[in-house]
Amino acid sequence: MPQTNPFHSLVPRKLTDSELARSIRLNIEAELDAINLYAAHLDATDNEEAKAILRHVMDEEREHAALFWQLIARLDPEQAQHDREASQKYRLITTGASHEEVEAVSEGGAEAAEVELPKRLTVGSLRK
Amino acid sequence: MPQTNPFHSLVPRKLTDSELARSIRLNIEAELDAINLYAAHLDATDNEEAKAILRHVMDEEREHAALFWQLIARLDPEQAQHDREASQKYRLITTGASHEEVEAVSEGGAEAAEVELPKRLTVGSLRK
Amino acid sequence: MPQTNPFHSLVPRKLTDSELARSIRLNIEAELDAINLYAAHLDATDNEEAKAILRHVMDEEREHAALFWQLIARLDPEQAQHDREASQKYRLITTGASHEEVEAVSEGGAEAAEVELPKRLTVGSLRK
Amino acid sequence: MPQTNPFHSLVPRKLTDSELARSIRLNIEAELDAINLYAAHLDATDNEEAKAILRHVMDEEREHAALFWQLIARLDPEQAQHDREASQKYRLITTGASHEEVEAVSEGGAEAAEVELPKRLTVGSLRK
Amino acid sequence: MPQTNPFHSLVPRKLTDSELARSIRLNIEAELDAINLYAAHLDATDNEEAKAILRHVMDEEREHAALFWQLIARLDPEQAQHDREASQKYRLITTGASHEEVEAVSEGGAEAAEVELPKRLTVGSLRK
Amino acid sequence: MPQTNPFHSLVPRKLTDSELARSIRLNIEAELDAINLYAAHLDATDNEEAKAILRHVMDEEREHAALFWQLIARLDPEQAQHDREASQKYRLITTGASHEEVEAVSEGGAEAAEVELPKRLTVGSLRK
Amino acid sequence: MPQTNPFHSLVPRKLTDSELARSIRLNIEAELDAINLYAAHLDATDNEEAKAILRHVMDEEREHAALFWQLIARLDPEQAQHDREASQKYRLITTGASHEEVEAVSEGGAEAAEVELPKRLTVGSLRK
Amino acid sequence: MPQTNPFHSLVPRKLTDSELARSIRLNIEAELDAINLYAAHLDATDNEEAKAILRHVMDEEREHAALFWQLIARLDPEQAQHDREASQKYRLITTGASHEEVEAVSEGGAEAAEVELPKRLTVGSLRK
Amino acid sequence: MPQTNPFHSLVPRKLTDSELARSIRLNIEAELDAINLYAAHLDATDNEEAKAILRHVMDEEREHAALFWQLIARLDPEQAQHDREASQKYRLITTGASHEEVEAVSEGGAEAAEVELPKRLTVGSLRK
Amino acid sequence: MPQTNPFHSLVPRKLTDSELARSIRLNIEAELDAINLYAAHLDATDNEEAKAILRHVMDEEREHAALFWQLIARLDPEQAQHDREASQKYRLITTGASHEEVEAVSEGGAEAAEVELPKRLTVGSLRK
């Protein structure tokens, strides 16, 4: 017999850096869940006004997900490193490369990736 | 021992009008939950970059809640009627009026409200 | 193996203003969920007595949702601003306006909206 | 990793009488949960406007609970019988009567109760 | 990935009066959920022994719901007042009366109800 | 963003014997959860009327748990066999016997237990 | 947007006797849920190896449920009393006896039951 | 009284493209939840072996999140477009730019972003 | 307002091989959750009888987890391969080896592991 | 009306050894749930790129489950003992051995198992 918790969002104390990162990851989950929710509703209705509003709002949730993803890259540099390598690994995996070839990206491949995506690193340079 | 449902958002069939309205009410709930989530995080951190992103995103969730509310007013005219009367009823309740005085707004008060908020009704006129 | 929490609604301490706003948003969610629940039952029965009661109660939940929405507008002025702009933005989105045209409402459009909906602002004037 | 079900309130088919009674019992649960939610918020804030709205809405949820309780009495006559006996049993239990004395109310006591609460039975007579 | 909380029912402190009322409302929810559970099982089996036990137990859950309802009436006099008015309001709503006619019961109608249901008030008289 | 399922107790079809047994096990869980709920409330209040009602109701939930346990013994004879052996195994475990000594109860010990608890077996003889 | 609680099983403090009993009742629920889970899987597969393992494990869960039931009888003597009376009450209910006849077991019937199930009481005698 | 669903991951039918994208978004949520879980455990223990394993596994979950993010970019080109703009928008928001300046990125800024991140687009070119 | 699903374990159809493997993984989760539950209770009580029973039952849940793990190794040979390599990888990770050194186990190391753990493979040979 | 807990992963204090073991068991549950999730999606799509990524990620989750299982064996030696005996018990159960034959493995059979799986014990030898 579950029931509504009237006090679910009380702030217990300031967050540590690691806890803040966990909070932002949770926010990405919330945005992705909202995108899924609105996408499902879009598939299930022909009401044009509803579709227009759903499309508009859903597009901004995509933007939010992307912005929180940037914030995570700032708070969790190891995630940022994986983001830089992901495009190359993705290509390798989907074209049948072995696990070892994929893992090799982390070393030399990462340098190559940094060369390929220099502007993306401006996020990192903001940190200074 | 709950577990993730891998297929939670499959579309079973097109929605009826009444089901579409229920879907949009659910979406408002999702937006309000997101606002609460980000507001709680804002209260709990001093990280300025995180606060700037949270404030920006949270403001757009407020806009989404307002837009879905408009959509509900379109799909559920009785809700729209209550929206028109709410400001007056709110004033009465918070200044100590009796239940009956509050309910009286629904009749004569409603007509007055329609006079007071003519532009708001353009939403209704879009329907034709 | 979840189980009932016997003490889910104990008051831990007085709420801050921001926490009170989060509580009221939660209450709107509760009202919308109730509306959805009763609307679904109305669709699923032909029992006339049950339908009469469901319709009566559901109508008052709509009023509650509208009243809590007013209260949020009082506690969260940025939400109130979005409420004032929503009708115009809704019309733009559903008639195919670009994202930028929609965002433009927040500035000059907002002033126009304020002109259009003067009486609605009495909520704000109560604050003085 | 739970997630929002976008289609939680689709109507599968018309309800049987027994299923309708179960639906209304669920609605009473929803009303009681809302009362608990608002009562907890009332205890936790000193904001006078919020308290006025919460008190007003909470009072109507009490009325809804009472109305749905009447409807259950109509749909489930055995519940109505227990309602008629409950006041007497309550008095016996809280004054230390034995289990058998309490159970005895169901027979002779029930007849007495029917005599005592004749108007209440007009609900039943509406059924004809 | 939810998981069982091994310590879900530890008593944190004595309850306030308002918290006790909320606990009893929760108990009514638990009883109604049990009634629904057993009613559904009754509909779904032809095993006569199982049906006999389910009917016996379910009948006592109905009695429990009625007893807790009495207790709430003791702890929350405003609920008791709504209980007294509910039968009359129910009749009005189901025979097409207006909202205002229904609300009028709270005043003069309540007095009439008190006349109609004198024995029911013995619960109240126990309070002295 | 979970939400209430308005149609959670619709009967899909008649239960198989194995499914009926699973339903009754679920009912025992519901009864035990209710006992825990009321026991926790008893520990947390000094209100004498509330305690009297809680004690009365909680005692009947214990009876329900015992009755459903009997029903399971009827529907699942292997459970009945374990019930007959449990008292002896319990004594062995709590006095430091080895796993093998405990398991030995299932054979010769079980026969002894059947001799020791002849009347209990009348449940089984009812089946003929 | 629920999420995994990383710290759901931290021990807050030693349990009181009443809290220990509640914990063991919860454990019975966990065992019954596991039995239901494995029973359902057994019904749904023809893989013989899987069926052999499921049957073996499920049988030991039945034993666990029986052992925890014994432990509850030790911690909660009122439950033990109901266990002793349950077989007789079960027979009465399933052969159409009245509520009063069933309740009568608690007195004289209990003595009879104690005569019928003498060895079962060794659990009680361990207590001295 | 929730309970384990024994059949939560049965495949109902092949997914549509839009449903597949929703499934992958759900998977990102699962990966982020796992990262949060392991990060919390890392913060809460000093056991060096446990920390080494947690760090190793957590790092691979980060890689999985990044890979699924790439897959979403493939399945949902509008998300990919937002990913390309996010770094620039992030910089604008955290340095105090207005909403309109941020939205302006979507047009001219997007073209610039495409120029800045040419290699990233190889993901798109894989589609041919 | 969640509620108990009376029909949560109905068998929809026979499972595919892949679905059976998913069911057994779920069962391992259930066993691990039970171990956690009983371990937490053991930490929280000094009642010796309760501790003896909890220790006995918990030990058998460990055995169940190990047996279901064997069954998964049978149903999912790729899991079995990882099980064979895990001990060596664990040693490498906890002694500071690089990701690549760890991944290298999958190739040559795996062959070595097969040599090292010949008897373990009898599980596989049972399949013929 | 459940809602997102913004602060679900705050670290309350350092874990005890027993609590750490419970945390790692929970992590195994998370990995198994992820495997089930990805396996279900693999069964439900024909999109080759998605399948390649899902297969790659799922394989690493299997490795994680195996590594956490090793860690549990380190933290909970009684689990390690059951792991060593499980292969032999599995063979006995699936070839029809009696419960007693299975339990006999724990003694002499365990020694045999240790002989059979010498390299596996290197985990144990790391402890010195």
Side-chain angles (χ1 to χ4, degrees), chain D residues 33-87:
Chain D
D33 188 57
I35 295 170
N36 277 359
L37 185 57
Y38 306 153
H41 289 162
L42 267 170
D43 280 4
T45 185
D46 295 323
N47 181 307
E48 283 308 322
E49 271 189 40
K51 285 176 99 83
I53 298 294
L54 283 164
R55 252 189 248 107
H56 179 90
V57 171
M58 181 176 156
D59 193 58
E60 295 192 347
E61 309 299 15
R62 284 191 188 102
E63 183 187 78
H64 299 171
L67 285 169
F68 281 134
W69 199 265
Q70 289 286 325
L71 179 51
I72 278 295
R74 293 279 292 166
L75 297 168
D76 180 357
E78 290 170 82
Q79 183 67 57
Q81 178 66 19
H82 279 296
D83 293 350
R84 282 190 293 273
E85 300 165 6
S87 148

Coordinates of all heavy atoms in Angstrom, one line a residue, chain D residues 33-87:
Chain D
D33 N -5.5 9.6 0.5 CA -4.1 9.9 0.3 C -3.9 11.4 0.1 O -3.0 12.1 0.6 CB -3.5 9.2 -0.9 CG -2.0 9.3 -1.0 OD1 -1.3 9.0 -0.1 OD2 -1.6 9.8 -2.1
A34 N -4.9 12.0 -0.7 CA -4.8 13.5 -0.9 C -5.0 14.2 0.4 O -4.3 15.2 0.7 CB -5.9 13.9 -1.9
I35 N -6.0 13.8 1.2 CA -6.2 14.4 2.5 C -4.9 14.3 3.4 O -4.5 15.3 4.0 CB -7.4 13.7 3.3 CG1 -8.7 13.9 2.5 CG2 -7.5 14.2 4.7 CD1 -9.9 13.1 3.1
N36 N -4.3 13.2 3.4 CA -3.1 13.1 4.2 C -2.0 14.0 3.7 O -1.2 14.6 4.4 CB -2.6 11.6 4.1 CG -3.3 10.7 5.1 OD1 -4.1 11.2 5.9 ND2 -2.9 9.4 5.1
L37 N -1.9 14.1 2.3 CA -0.9 15.0 1.7 C -1.1 16.4 2.1 O -0.2 17.1 2.6 CB -1.0 14.8 0.2 CG 0.0 15.5 -0.7 CD1 1.4 15.1 -0.4 CD2 -0.3 15.2 -2.2
Y38 N -2.3 16.9 2.0 CA -2.6 18.3 2.3 C -2.5 18.6 3.8 O -2.0 19.6 4.3 CB -4.0 18.7 1.8 CG -4.1 18.4 0.3 CD1 -5.4 18.2 -0.3 CD2 -3.0 18.3 -0.5 CE1 -5.5 17.9 -1.6 CE2 -3.2 18.1 -1.9 CZ -4.4 17.8 -2.4 OH -4.6 17.6 -3.8
A39 N -2.9 17.6 4.6 CA -2.8 17.7 6.1 C -1.4 17.9 6.5 O -1.0 18.7 7.4 CB -3.5 16.6 6.8
A40 N -0.5 17.1 5.9 CA 0.9 17.1 6.2 C 1.5 18.5 5.8 O 2.3 19.1 6.6 CB 1.7 16.0 5.5
H41 N 1.1 19.0 4.7 CA 1.6 20.3 4.2 C 1.1 21.4 5.1 O 1.8 22.4 5.5 CB 1.2 20.6 2.8 CG 1.9 19.7 1.8 ND1 1.5 19.5 0.5 CD2 3.0 19.0 1.9 CE1 2.3 18.7 -0.1 NE2 3.2 18.4 0.7
L42 N -0.2 21.3 5.6 CA -0.7 22.3 6.5 C 0.1 22.3 7.8 O 0.4 23.4 8.3 CB -2.2 21.9 6.9 CG -3.3 22.6 6.0 CD1 -4.6 21.9 6.3 CD2 -3.3 24.1 6.2
D43 N 0.5 21.2 8.3 CA 1.3 21.1 9.5 C 2.7 21.7 9.3 O 3.3 22.1 10.3 CB 1.5 19.6 9.9 CG 0.3 19.1 10.7 OD1 -0.7 19.8 10.8 OD2 0.4 17.9 11.2
A44 N 3.1 21.8 8.1 CA 4.5 22.1 7.8 C 4.8 23.6 7.3 O 5.9 23.9 7.0 CB 5.1 21.1 6.8
T45 N 3.7 24.3 7.2 CA 3.9 25.7 6.7 C 3.2 26.7 7.6 O 2.2 26.4 8.2 CB 3.5 25.9 5.3 OG1 3.8 27.2 4.8 CG2 1.9 25.7 5.1
D46 N 3.7 28.0 7.6 CA 3.0 29.1 8.3 C 2.5 30.1 7.3 O 1.9 31.1 7.6 CB 3.9 29.8 9.3 CG 4.3 28.8 10.4 OD1 3.5 28.1 10.9 OD2 5.5 28.9 10.8
N47 N 2.7 29.8 6.0 CA 2.2 30.7 4.9 C 0.7 30.8 4.9 O 0.0 29.8 4.6 CB 2.7 30.2 3.6 CG 2.3 31.1 2.4 OD1 1.2 31.4 2.2 ND2 3.3 31.6 1.7
E48 N 0.1 31.9 5.3 CA -1.4 32.0 5.5 C -2.2 31.8 4.2 O -3.2 31.1 4.3 CB -1.7 33.3 6.1 CG -1.4 33.4 7.6 CD -2.0 32.2 8.4 OE1 -3.1 31.7 8.1 OE2 -1.3 31.7 9.3
E49 N -1.7 32.3 3.1 CA -2.5 32.1 1.9 C -2.5 30.6 1.5 O -3.5 30.0 1.1 CB -1.8 32.9 0.7 CG -2.4 34.2 0.6 CD -2.0 35.0 -0.7 OE1 -1.9 34.3 -1.8 OE2 -1.7 36.2 -0.6
A50 N -1.3 30.0 1.6 CA -1.2 28.5 1.3 C -2.1 27.7 2.2 O -2.8 26.8 1.8 CB 0.2 28.1 1.4
K51 N -2.1 28.1 3.5 CA -3.0 27.4 4.5 C -4.4 27.5 4.1 O -5.2 26.6 4.3 CB -2.7 27.9 5.9 CG -1.4 27.4 6.5 CD -1.1 28.0 7.8 CE -1.4 27.1 9.0 NZ -0.4 26.1 9.3
A52 N -4.9 28.7 3.7 CA -6.3 28.9 3.4 C -6.7 28.0 2.2 O -7.7 27.4 2.3 CB -6.5 30.4 3.1
I53 N -5.8 28.0 1.2 CA -6.2 27.2 0.0 C -6.2 25.7 0.4 O -7.1 24.9 0.0 CB -5.2 27.4 -1.2 CG1 -5.3 28.9 -1.6 CG2 -5.5 26.5 -2.3 CD1 -6.6 29.3 -2.2
L54 N -5.1 25.3 1.1 CA -5.0 23.9 1.5 C -6.2 23.4 2.3 O -6.8 22.3 2.1 CB -3.7 23.6 2.3 CG -2.4 23.6 1.5 CD1 -1.2 23.7 2.4 CD2 -2.4 22.2 0.7
R55 N -6.6 24.3 3.3 CA -7.8 23.9 4.1 C -9.1 23.8 3.3 O -9.9 22.9 3.5 CB -8.0 25.0 5.2 CG -7.6 24.6 6.6 CD -8.0 25.6 7.6 NE -6.8 26.2 8.3 CZ -6.4 27.4 8.1 NH1 -7.1 28.2 7.3 NH2 -5.3 27.9 8.7
H56 N -9.3 24.7 2.3 CA -10.4 24.7 1.5 C -10.5 23.4 0.6 O -11.5 22.8 0.6 CB -10.4 26.0 0.6 CG -11.6 26.0 -0.3 ND1 -12.8 26.7 0.0 CD2 -11.8 25.6 -1.6 CE1 -13.7 26.6 -1.0 NE2 -13.1 25.9 -2.0
V57 N -9.4 23.1 0.0 CA -9.3 22.0 -0.9 C -9.5 20.7 -0.1 O -10.2 19.8 -0.4 CB -8.0 22.0 -1.7 CG1 -7.9 20.7 -2.5 CG2 -8.0 23.1 -2.7
M58 N -8.8 20.6 1.1 CA -8.8 19.4 1.9 C -10.2 19.1 2.4 O -10.6 18.0 2.5 CB -7.8 19.6 3.1 CG -7.7 18.4 4.0 SD -6.5 18.8 5.3 CE -7.0 17.7 6.6
D59 N -10.9 20.2 2.7 CA -12.3 20.0 3.2 C -13.2 19.3 2.1 O -14.0 18.5 2.4 CB -12.9 21.3 3.6 CG -14.2 21.1 4.4 OD1 -14.1 20.4 5.4 OD2 -15.3 21.6 4.0
E60 N -12.9 19.7 0.8 CA -13.7 19.1 -0.3 C -13.3 17.7 -0.5 O -14.1 16.9 -1.0 CB -13.6 20.0 -1.5 CG -14.3 21.3 -1.3 CD -14.5 22.2 -2.5 OE1 -13.9 21.8 -3.6 OE2 -15.2 23.1 -2.5
E61 N -12.0 17.4 -0.3 CA -11.6 16.0 -0.4 C -12.3 15.1 0.6 O -12.7 13.9 0.4 CB -10.1 15.8 -0.3 CG -9.2 16.7 -1.2 CD -9.4 16.6 -2.7 OE1 -10.4 16.0 -3.1 OE2 -8.6 17.1 -3.4
R62 N -12.5 15.7 1.8 CA -13.2 14.9 2.8 C -14.7 14.6 2.3 O -15.2 13.5 2.5 CB -13.3 15.7 4.1 CG -12.1 15.8 5.0 CD -12.4 16.4 6.3 NE -11.3 16.7 7.2 CZ -10.7 17.8 7.3 NH1 -11.2 18.9 6.7 NH2 -9.7 18.0 8.1
E63 N -15.3 15.6 1.7 CA -16.6 15.4 1.2 C -16.6 14.3 0.1 O -17.5 13.5 0.0 CB -17.1 16.7 0.6 CG -18.5 16.7 0.1 CD -18.9 18.0 -0.6 OE1 -18.5 18.2 -1.8 OE2 -19.6 18.8 0.0
H64 N -15.6 14.4 -0.8 CA -15.5 13.3 -1.8 C -15.4 11.9 -1.2 O -16.0 11.0 -1.7 CB -14.3 13.6 -2.7 CG -14.3 14.9 -3.4 ND1 -13.3 15.5 -4.2 CD2 -15.3 15.9 -3.5 CE1 -13.6 16.6 -4.7 NE2 -14.9 16.9 -4.3
A65 N -14.5 11.8 -0.2 CA -14.4 10.5 0.4 C -15.7 10.0 1.0 O -16.1 8.9 0.8 CB -13.3 10.6 1.6
A66 N -16.5 11.0 1.6 CA -17.8 10.6 2.1 C -18.8 10.2 1.0 O -19.6 9.3 1.2 CB -18.3 11.7 3.0
L67 N -18.7 10.9 -0.1 CA -19.6 10.6 -1.2 C -19.3 9.2 -1.8 O -20.2 8.4 -2.1 CB -19.5 11.7 -2.3 CG -20.3 13.0 -2.0 CD1 -19.9 14.1 -3.0 CD2 -21.8 12.8 -1.9
F68 N -18.0 9.0 -2.1 CA -17.6 7.7 -2.6 C -18.0 6.5 -1.6 O -18.3 5.4 -2.0 CB -16.1 7.6 -2.9 CG -15.7 8.3 -4.2 CD1 -14.6 9.2 -4.3 CD2 -16.4 8.1 -5.4 CE1 -14.2 9.8 -5.5 CE2 -16.0 8.7 -6.6 CZ -14.9 9.6 -6.6
W69 N -17.9 6.9 -0.3 CA -18.2 5.8 0.7 C -19.7 5.5 0.5 O -20.1 4.3 0.6 CB -18.0 6.4 2.1 CG -17.9 5.3 3.1 CD1 -18.9 4.9 3.9 CD2 -16.7 4.5 3.4 NE1 -18.4 3.8 4.7 CE2 -17.1 3.6 4.5 CE3 -15.4 4.5 3.0 CZ2 -16.2 2.7 5.0 CZ3 -14.5 3.5 3.5 CH2 -15.0 2.7 4.5
Q70 N -20.6 6.5 0.3 CA -22.0 6.3 0.0 C -22.2 5.4 -1.2 O -23.0 4.5 -1.3 CB -22.7 7.6 -0.2 CG -22.9 8.4 1.0 CD -24.0 7.9 2.0 OE1 -25.0 7.3 1.5 NE2 -23.7 8.0 3.3
L71 N -21.4 5.7 -2.2 CA -21.5 5.0 -3.5 C -21.2 3.5 -3.3 O -21.8 2.6 -3.8 CB -20.6 5.6 -4.6 CG -20.6 5.0 -6.0 CD1 -22.0 4.7 -6.5 CD2 -19.8 5.8 -6.9
I72 N -20.1 3.3 -2.5 CA -19.7 1.9 -2.2 C -20.9 1.2 -1.4 O -21.2 0.0 -1.7 CB -18.4 1.8 -1.3 CG1 -17.2 2.0 -2.3 CG2 -18.3 0.6 -0.5 CD1 -17.0 0.8 -3.2
A73 N -21.5 1.9 -0.5 CA -22.6 1.3 0.2 C -23.7 0.9 -0.7 O -24.4 -0.1 -0.5 CB -23.1 2.3 1.3
R74 N -23.9 1.6 -1.8 CA -24.9 1.3 -2.8 C -24.4 0.0 -3.7 O -25.2 -0.8 -4.0 CB -25.0 2.4 -3.8 CG -25.7 3.7 -3.2 CD -27.2 3.6 -3.1 NE -27.7 3.6 -4.4 CZ -29.0 3.2 -4.7 NH1 -29.8 2.8 -3.7 NH2 -29.4 3.3 -5.9
L75 N -23.1 0.0 -4.0 CA -22.6 -1.1 -4.9 C -22.4 -2.4 -4.1 O -22.3 -3.5 -4.7 CB -21.4 -0.6 -5.6 CG -21.5 0.6 -6.5 CD1 -20.1 1.1 -6.9 CD2 -22.3 0.2 -7.8
D76 N -22.1 -2.3 -2.8 CA -21.7 -3.4 -2.0 C -22.5 -3.4 -0.7 O -22.1 -2.9 0.4 CB -20.2 -3.2 -1.6 CG -19.7 -4.4 -0.8 OD1 -20.4 -5.3 -0.4 OD2 -18.5 -4.4 -0.5
P77 N -23.7 -4.0 -0.7 CA -24.7 -3.9 0.4 C -24.1 -4.5 1.7 O -24.5 -4.1 2.8 CB -25.9 -4.8 -0.1 CG -25.8 -4.8 -1.6 CD -24.3 -4.7 -1.9
E78 N -23.2 -5.5 1.6 CA -22.6 -6.0 2.8 C -21.7 -5.0 3.5 O -21.6 -5.0 4.7 CB -21.7 -7.3 2.4 CG -22.7 -8.4 2.0 CD -21.9 -9.6 1.4 OE1 -21.4 -10.4 2.2 OE2 -21.8 -9.7 0.2
Q79 N -21.1 -4.1 2.7 CA -20.4 -3.0 3.3 C -21.3 -2.1 4.1 O -21.1 -1.6 5.2 CB -19.6 -2.2 2.3 CG -18.7 -1.1 2.8 CD -17.6 -1.6 3.7 OE1 -16.7 -2.3 3.3 NE2 -17.5 -1.1 5.0
A80 N -22.5 -1.8 3.4 CA -23.5 -0.9 4.1 C -23.9 -1.5 5.4 O -24.1 -0.8 6.4 CB -24.7 -0.8 3.1
Q81 N -24.1 -2.8 5.4 CA -24.5 -3.5 6.7 C -23.4 -3.3 7.8 O -23.8 -2.9 8.9 CB -24.7 -5.0 6.4 CG -25.1 -5.8 7.6 CD -26.5 -5.4 8.2 OE1 -27.3 -4.8 7.5 NE2 -26.7 -5.7 9.5
H82 N -22.2 -3.4 7.4 CA -21.1 -3.2 8.4 C -21.1 -1.7 8.8 O -20.7 -1.4 9.9 CB -19.8 -3.6 7.8 CG -19.5 -5.1 7.9 ND1 -19.4 -5.7 9.1 CD2 -19.4 -6.0 6.9 CE1 -19.2 -7.0 8.9 NE2 -19.2 -7.2 7.6
D83 N -21.4 -0.8 7.9 CA -21.4 0.6 8.3 C -22.4 0.9 9.3 O -22.2 1.6 10.3 CB -21.7 1.5 7.0 CG -20.6 1.5 6.0 OD1 -19.5 0.9 6.3 OD2 -20.8 2.0 4.9
R84 N -23.6 0.2 9.2 CA -24.7 0.4 10.1 C -24.3 -0.1 11.5 O -24.7 0.4 12.5 CB -26.0 -0.3 9.6 CG -26.7 0.5 8.6 CD -28.1 0.0 8.3 NE -28.0 -1.3 7.6 CZ -27.9 -1.5 6.3 NH1 -27.8 -0.5 5.5 NH2 -27.8 -2.7 5.8
E85 N -23.5 -1.2 11.5 CA -23.2 -1.8 12.8 C -21.9 -1.2 13.5 O -21.6 -1.4 14.6 CB -22.9 -3.3 12.6 CG -24.1 -4.1 12.1 CD -23.7 -5.5 11.6 OE1 -22.5 -5.8 11.8 OE2 -24.5 -6.2 11.0
A86 N -21.2 -0.4 12.7 CA -19.8 0.0 13.1 C -19.8 0.9 14.4 O -19.0 0.7 15.2 CB -19.1 0.7 12.0
S87 N -20.8 1.8 14.4 CA -20.8 2.7 15.6 C -21.0 1.9 16.9 O -20.3 2.2 17.9 CB -21.9 3.7 15.4 OG -22.5 4.1 16.6

